[in-house]
mmCIF file of all heavy atoms in Angstrom:
data_model
loop_
_atom_site.group_PDB
_atom_site.id
_atom_site.type_symbol
_atom_site.label_atom_id
_atom_site.label_comp_id
_atom_site.label_asym_id
_atom_site.label_seq_id
_atom_site.Cartn_x
_atom_site.Cartn_y
_atom_site.Cartn_z
ATOM 1 N N ASN A 1 -18.337 -40.813 133.306
ATOM 2 C CA ASN A 1 -19.356 -40.698 132.262
ATOM 3 C C ASN A 1 -19.117 -41.717 131.150
ATOM 4 O O ASN A 1 -20.065 -42.330 130.637
ATOM 5 C CB ASN A 1 -19.364 -39.282 131.681
ATOM 6 C CG ASN A 1 -20.092 -38.297 132.569
ATOM 7 O OD1 ASN A 1 -21.076 -38.635 133.220
ATOM 8 N ND2 ASN A 1 -19.613 -37.065 132.621
ATOM 9 N N ILE A 2 -17.857 -41.901 130.785
ATOM 10 C CA ILE A 2 -17.540 -42.877 129.740
ATOM 11 C C ILE A 2 -17.881 -44.285 130.208
ATOM 12 O O ILE A 2 -18.519 -45.072 129.479
ATOM 13 C CB ILE A 2 -16.049 -42.788 129.356
ATOM 14 C CG1 ILE A 2 -15.729 -41.442 128.708
ATOM 15 C CG2 ILE A 2 -15.675 -43.927 128.398
ATOM 16 C CD1 ILE A 2 -14.253 -41.209 128.469
ATOM 17 N N SER A 3 -17.458 -44.638 131.432
ATOM 18 C CA SER A 3 -17.675 -46.001 131.929
ATOM 19 C C SER A 3 -19.148 -46.317 132.137
ATOM 20 O O SER A 3 -19.549 -47.487 132.064
ATOM 21 C CB SER A 3 -16.908 -46.197 133.238
ATOM 22 O OG SER A 3 -17.395 -45.339 134.251
ATOM 23 N N SER A 4 -19.949 -45.291 132.373
ATOM 24 C CA SER A 4 -21.384 -45.510 132.573
ATOM 25 C C SER A 4 -22.181 -45.410 131.279
ATOM 26 O O SER A 4 -23.407 -45.535 131.283
ATOM 27 C CB SER A 4 -21.931 -44.510 133.591
ATOM 28 O OG SER A 4 -21.750 -43.177 133.141
ATOM 29 N N GLY A 5 -21.492 -45.155 130.159
ATOM 30 C CA GLY A 5 -22.147 -45.132 128.858
ATOM 31 C C GLY A 5 -22.700 -43.791 128.440
ATOM 32 O O GLY A 5 -23.433 -43.700 127.448
ATOM 33 N N ASN A 6 -22.303 -42.723 129.152
ATOM 34 C CA ASN A 6 -22.810 -41.387 128.814
ATOM 35 C C ASN A 6 -21.931 -40.625 127.829
ATOM 36 O O ASN A 6 -22.263 -39.514 127.431
ATOM 37 C CB ASN A 6 -22.974 -40.559 130.094
ATOM 38 C CG ASN A 6 -24.016 -41.144 131.017
ATOM 39 O OD1 ASN A 6 -25.023 -41.688 130.566
ATOM 40 N ND2 ASN A 6 -23.768 -41.065 132.324
ATOM 41 N N GLY A 7 -20.793 -41.210 127.488
ATOM 42 C CA GLY A 7 -19.915 -40.573 126.521
ATOM 43 C C GLY A 7 -18.907 -39.628 127.163
ATOM 44 O O GLY A 7 -18.828 -39.491 128.388
ATOM 45 N N PHE A 8 -18.143 -38.962 126.306
ATOM 46 C CA PHE A 8 -17.089 -38.052 126.748
ATOM 47 C C PHE A 8 -17.724 -36.719 127.129
ATOM 48 O O PHE A 8 -17.771 -35.775 126.350
ATOM 49 C CB PHE A 8 -16.069 -37.863 125.622
ATOM 50 C CG PHE A 8 -14.702 -37.451 126.084
ATOM 51 C CD1 PHE A 8 -13.729 -38.409 126.326
ATOM 52 C CD2 PHE A 8 -14.387 -36.120 126.293
ATOM 53 C CE1 PHE A 8 -12.459 -38.042 126.747
ATOM 54 C CE2 PHE A 8 -13.127 -35.747 126.712
ATOM 55 C CZ PHE A 8 -12.164 -36.714 126.946
ATOM 56 N N MET A 9 -18.214 -36.648 128.366
ATOM 57 C CA MET A 9 -18.988 -35.488 128.815
ATOM 58 C C MET A 9 -18.399 -34.898 130.087
ATOM 59 O O MET A 9 -17.857 -35.613 130.935
ATOM 60 C CB MET A 9 -20.442 -35.876 129.049
ATOM 61 C CG MET A 9 -21.156 -36.414 127.833
ATOM 62 S SD MET A 9 -22.892 -36.778 128.174
ATOM 63 C CE MET A 9 -23.551 -35.131 128.419
ATOM 64 N N PHE A 10 -18.541 -33.574 130.192
ATOM 65 C CA PHE A 10 -18.137 -32.864 131.405
ATOM 66 C C PHE A 10 -19.170 -31.777 131.689
ATOM 67 O O PHE A 10 -19.568 -31.042 130.780
ATOM 68 C CB PHE A 10 -16.746 -32.238 131.230
ATOM 69 C CG PHE A 10 -16.303 -31.423 132.408
ATOM 70 C CD1 PHE A 10 -15.987 -32.032 133.608
ATOM 71 C CD2 PHE A 10 -16.217 -30.040 132.324
ATOM 72 C CE1 PHE A 10 -15.586 -31.286 134.707
ATOM 73 C CE2 PHE A 10 -15.815 -29.287 133.407
ATOM 74 C CZ PHE A 10 -15.503 -29.919 134.610
ATOM 75 N N ASP A 11 -19.606 -31.714 132.938
ATOM 76 C CA ASP A 11 -20.656 -30.764 133.332
ATOM 77 C C ASP A 11 -21.950 -30.988 132.545
ATOM 78 O O ASP A 11 -22.662 -30.034 132.212
ATOM 79 C CB ASP A 11 -20.182 -29.315 133.156
ATOM 80 C CG ASP A 11 -19.506 -28.792 134.417
ATOM 81 O OD1 ASP A 11 -19.609 -29.456 135.474
ATOM 82 O OD2 ASP A 11 -18.863 -27.731 134.345
ATOM 83 N N GLY A 12 -22.195 -32.255 132.187
ATOM 84 C CA GLY A 12 -23.440 -32.594 131.534
ATOM 85 C C GLY A 12 -23.496 -32.350 130.049
ATOM 86 O O GLY A 12 -24.536 -32.571 129.419
ATOM 87 N N ILE A 13 -22.387 -31.898 129.447
ATOM 88 C CA ILE A 13 -22.374 -31.641 127.998
ATOM 89 C C ILE A 13 -21.143 -32.294 127.378
ATOM 90 O O ILE A 13 -20.112 -32.460 128.048
ATOM 91 C CB ILE A 13 -22.371 -30.124 127.688
ATOM 92 C CG1 ILE A 13 -21.152 -29.453 128.332
ATOM 93 C CG2 ILE A 13 -23.653 -29.471 128.154
ATOM 94 C CD1 ILE A 13 -20.998 -27.986 127.950
ATOM 95 N N PRO A 14 -21.229 -32.695 126.098
ATOM 96 C CA PRO A 14 -20.045 -33.252 125.419
ATOM 97 C C PRO A 14 -18.899 -32.241 125.428
ATOM 98 O O PRO A 14 -19.108 -31.046 125.221
ATOM 99 C CB PRO A 14 -20.545 -33.508 123.994
ATOM 100 C CG PRO A 14 -22.021 -33.658 124.132
ATOM 101 C CD PRO A 14 -22.420 -32.712 125.236
ATOM 102 N N SER A 15 -17.698 -32.725 125.675
ATOM 103 C CA SER A 15 -16.561 -31.818 125.810
ATOM 104 C C SER A 15 -15.307 -32.435 125.211
ATOM 105 O O SER A 15 -15.063 -33.634 125.352
ATOM 106 C CB SER A 15 -16.306 -31.488 127.285
ATOM 107 O OG SER A 15 -15.114 -30.749 127.448
ATOM 108 N N ALA A 16 -14.539 -31.597 124.527
ATOM 109 C CA ALA A 16 -13.234 -32.011 124.012
ATOM 110 C C ALA A 16 -12.135 -31.194 124.677
ATOM 111 O O ALA A 16 -11.026 -31.070 124.155
ATOM 112 C CB ALA A 16 -13.178 -31.831 122.501
ATOM 113 N N TYR A 17 -12.432 -30.667 125.851
ATOM 114 C CA TYR A 17 -11.487 -29.782 126.541
ATOM 115 C C TYR A 17 -10.280 -30.570 127.042
ATOM 116 O O TYR A 17 -9.162 -30.059 127.059
ATOM 117 C CB TYR A 17 -12.193 -29.087 127.708
ATOM 118 C CG TYR A 17 -11.312 -28.136 128.482
ATOM 119 C CD1 TYR A 17 -10.849 -26.959 127.891
ATOM 120 C CD2 TYR A 17 -10.929 -28.414 129.789
ATOM 121 C CE1 TYR A 17 -10.037 -26.093 128.589
ATOM 122 C CE2 TYR A 17 -10.113 -27.550 130.506
ATOM 123 C CZ TYR A 17 -9.677 -26.387 129.894
ATOM 124 O OH TYR A 17 -8.861 -25.530 130.593
ATOM 125 N N ARG A 18 -10.490 -31.805 127.472
ATOM 126 C CA ARG A 18 -9.411 -32.641 127.973
ATOM 127 C C ARG A 18 -9.001 -33.688 126.945
ATOM 128 O O ARG A 18 -9.848 -34.251 126.262
ATOM 129 C CB ARG A 18 -9.839 -33.349 129.266
ATOM 130 C CG ARG A 18 -10.062 -32.415 130.431
ATOM 131 C CD ARG A 18 -8.766 -31.760 130.856
ATOM 132 N NE ARG A 18 -8.968 -30.802 131.934
ATOM 133 C CZ ARG A 18 -8.002 -30.019 132.422
ATOM 134 N NH1 ARG A 18 -6.788 -30.099 131.919
ATOM 135 N NH2 ARG A 18 -8.264 -29.169 133.392
ATOM 136 N N PRO A 19 -7.694 -33.960 126.818
ATOM 137 C CA PRO A 19 -7.254 -35.038 125.925
ATOM 138 C C PRO A 19 -7.856 -36.376 126.368
ATOM 139 O O PRO A 19 -8.066 -36.598 127.560
ATOM 140 C CB PRO A 19 -5.724 -35.037 126.090
ATOM 141 C CG PRO A 19 -5.392 -33.677 126.610
ATOM 142 C CD PRO A 19 -6.556 -33.263 127.452
ATOM 143 N N PRO A 20 -8.104 -37.283 125.444
ATOM 144 C CA PRO A 20 -8.936 -38.458 125.772
ATOM 145 C C PRO A 20 -8.237 -39.638 126.419
ATOM 146 O O PRO A 20 -8.905 -40.449 127.080
ATOM 147 C CB PRO A 20 -9.471 -38.871 124.391
ATOM 148 C CG PRO A 20 -8.405 -38.446 123.438
ATOM 149 C CD PRO A 20 -7.857 -37.168 123.998
ATOM 150 N N ILE A 21 -6.932 -39.795 126.267
ATOM 151 C CA ILE A 21 -6.295 -41.056 126.653
ATOM 152 C C ILE A 21 -6.383 -41.331 128.154
ATOM 153 O O ILE A 21 -6.750 -42.434 128.575
ATOM 154 C CB ILE A 21 -4.819 -41.094 126.200
ATOM 155 C CG1 ILE A 21 -4.746 -41.109 124.672
ATOM 156 C CG2 ILE A 21 -4.107 -42.315 126.766
ATOM 157 C CD1 ILE A 21 -5.417 -42.299 124.033
ATOM 158 N N TYR A 22 -6.086 -40.331 128.977
ATOM 159 C CA TYR A 22 -6.116 -40.591 130.422
ATOM 160 C C TYR A 22 -7.543 -40.837 130.931
ATOM 161 O O TYR A 22 -7.747 -41.768 131.727
ATOM 162 C CB TYR A 22 -5.449 -39.459 131.201
ATOM 163 C CG TYR A 22 -5.291 -39.776 132.669
ATOM 164 C CD1 TYR A 22 -4.417 -40.777 133.082
ATOM 165 C CD2 TYR A 22 -6.027 -39.096 133.635
ATOM 166 C CE1 TYR A 22 -4.270 -41.096 134.425
ATOM 167 C CE2 TYR A 22 -5.892 -39.410 134.981
ATOM 168 C CZ TYR A 22 -5.011 -40.413 135.367
ATOM 169 O OH TYR A 22 -4.876 -40.725 136.698
ATOM 170 N N PRO A 23 -8.544 -40.056 130.510
ATOM 171 C CA PRO A 23 -9.910 -40.407 130.909
ATOM 172 C C PRO A 23 -10.326 -41.813 130.460
ATOM 173 O O PRO A 23 -11.027 -42.519 131.186
ATOM 174 C CB PRO A 23 -10.765 -39.326 130.234
ATOM 175 C CG PRO A 23 -9.861 -38.156 130.119
ATOM 176 C CD PRO A 23 -8.509 -38.753 129.832
ATOM 177 N N LEU A 24 -9.883 -42.225 129.271
ATOM 178 C CA LEU A 24 -10.187 -43.576 128.801
ATOM 179 C C LEU A 24 -9.483 -44.632 129.659
ATOM 180 O O LEU A 24 -10.042 -45.706 129.926
ATOM 181 C CB LEU A 24 -9.772 -43.739 127.340
ATOM 182 C CG LEU A 24 -10.639 -43.003 126.312
ATOM 183 C CD1 LEU A 24 -9.993 -43.056 124.933
ATOM 184 C CD2 LEU A 24 -12.042 -43.594 126.270
ATOM 185 N N PHE A 25 -8.274 -44.320 130.088
ATOM 186 C CA PHE A 25 -7.538 -45.206 130.992
ATOM 187 C C PHE A 25 -8.300 -45.380 132.305
ATOM 188 O O PHE A 25 -8.515 -46.501 132.780
ATOM 189 C CB PHE A 25 -6.145 -44.632 131.237
ATOM 190 C CG PHE A 25 -5.406 -45.256 132.387
ATOM 191 C CD1 PHE A 25 -4.856 -46.523 132.280
ATOM 192 C CD2 PHE A 25 -5.245 -44.552 133.579
ATOM 193 C CE1 PHE A 25 -4.168 -47.097 133.347
ATOM 194 C CE2 PHE A 25 -4.554 -45.114 134.646
ATOM 195 C CZ PHE A 25 -4.018 -46.389 134.530
ATOM 196 N N LEU A 26 -8.744 -44.266 132.891
ATOM 197 C CA LEU A 26 -9.520 -44.327 134.121
ATOM 198 C C LEU A 26 -10.857 -45.035 133.902
ATOM 199 O O LEU A 26 -11.295 -45.841 134.735
ATOM 200 C CB LEU A 26 -9.768 -42.920 134.665
ATOM 201 C CG LEU A 26 -8.566 -42.133 135.194
ATOM 202 C CD1 LEU A 26 -9.015 -40.756 135.662
ATOM 203 C CD2 LEU A 26 -7.879 -42.873 136.330
ATOM 204 N N ALA A 27 -11.501 -44.740 132.775
ATOM 205 C CA ALA A 27 -12.800 -45.335 132.481
ATOM 206 C C ALA A 27 -12.711 -46.856 132.375
ATOM 207 O O ALA A 27 -13.624 -47.572 132.817
ATOM 208 C CB ALA A 27 -13.366 -44.748 131.190
ATOM 209 N N SER A 28 -11.627 -47.352 131.789
ATOM 210 C CA SER A 28 -11.467 -48.798 131.668
ATOM 211 C C SER A 28 -11.329 -49.449 133.047
ATOM 212 O O SER A 28 -11.839 -50.552 133.276
ATOM 213 C CB SER A 28 -10.245 -49.129 130.805
ATOM 214 O OG SER A 28 -9.050 -48.655 131.402
ATOM 215 N N ILE A 29 -10.657 -48.758 133.969
ATOM 216 C CA ILE A 29 -10.527 -49.282 135.335
ATOM 217 C C ILE A 29 -11.890 -49.269 136.031
ATOM 218 O O ILE A 29 -12.285 -50.245 136.687
ATOM 219 C CB ILE A 29 -9.498 -48.465 136.138
ATOM 220 C CG1 ILE A 29 -8.101 -48.626 135.521
ATOM 221 C CG2 ILE A 29 -9.491 -48.892 137.603
ATOM 222 C CD1 ILE A 29 -7.033 -47.782 136.167
ATOM 223 N N TYR A 30 -12.614 -48.151 135.890
ATOM 224 C CA TYR A 30 -13.950 -48.069 136.485
ATOM 225 C C TYR A 30 -14.877 -49.149 135.916
ATOM 226 O O TYR A 30 -15.671 -49.751 136.645
ATOM 227 C CB TYR A 30 -14.554 -46.689 136.232
ATOM 228 C CG TYR A 30 -13.913 -45.569 137.013
ATOM 229 C CD1 TYR A 30 -13.748 -44.313 136.431
ATOM 230 C CD2 TYR A 30 -13.480 -45.741 138.316
ATOM 231 C CE1 TYR A 30 -13.163 -43.273 137.136
ATOM 232 C CE2 TYR A 30 -12.903 -44.710 139.024
ATOM 233 C CZ TYR A 30 -12.739 -43.474 138.434
ATOM 234 O OH TYR A 30 -12.164 -42.450 139.143
ATOM 235 N N TYR A 31 -14.764 -49.387 134.617
ATOM 236 C CA TYR A 31 -15.669 -50.329 133.954
ATOM 237 C C TYR A 31 -15.410 -51.770 134.417
ATOM 238 O O TYR A 31 -16.350 -52.521 134.693
ATOM 239 C CB TYR A 31 -15.495 -50.233 132.441
ATOM 240 C CG TYR A 31 -16.405 -51.135 131.653
ATOM 241 C CD1 TYR A 31 -17.733 -50.784 131.418
ATOM 242 C CD2 TYR A 31 -15.941 -52.357 131.160
ATOM 243 C CE1 TYR A 31 -18.576 -51.622 130.700
ATOM 244 C CE2 TYR A 31 -16.771 -53.200 130.442
ATOM 245 C CZ TYR A 31 -18.092 -52.822 130.213
ATOM 246 O OH TYR A 31 -18.924 -53.658 129.510
ATOM 247 N N PHE A 32 -14.143 -52.156 134.505
ATOM 248 C CA PHE A 32 -13.819 -53.550 134.827
ATOM 249 C C PHE A 32 -13.711 -53.817 136.328
ATOM 250 O O PHE A 32 -13.965 -54.947 136.770
ATOM 251 C CB PHE A 32 -12.507 -53.955 134.146
ATOM 252 C CG PHE A 32 -12.611 -54.110 132.658
ATOM 253 C CD1 PHE A 32 -12.076 -53.157 131.809
ATOM 254 C CD2 PHE A 32 -13.266 -55.200 132.106
ATOM 255 C CE1 PHE A 32 -12.175 -53.296 130.430
ATOM 256 C CE2 PHE A 32 -13.371 -55.356 130.726
ATOM 257 C CZ PHE A 32 -12.827 -54.392 129.887
#
């Protein structure tokens, strides 16, 4: 969701349930 520009979302809604660093790490790989 982050890499596609939809933001920090899970199950279609914004979520802060998971810490952000690892999803951001994965998102950067997906993006590039």
Side-chain angles (χ1 to χ4, degrees):
N1 281 325
I2 295 172
S3 64
S4 61
N6 296 325
F8 204 93
M9 300 183 68
F10 176 70
D11 270 348
I13 58 174
S15 173
Y17 181 68
R18 293 294 177 185
I21 294 299
Y22 188 68
L24 288 171
F25 166 74
L26 292 179
S28 63
I29 295 176
Y30 289 143
Y31 182 80
F32 289 106

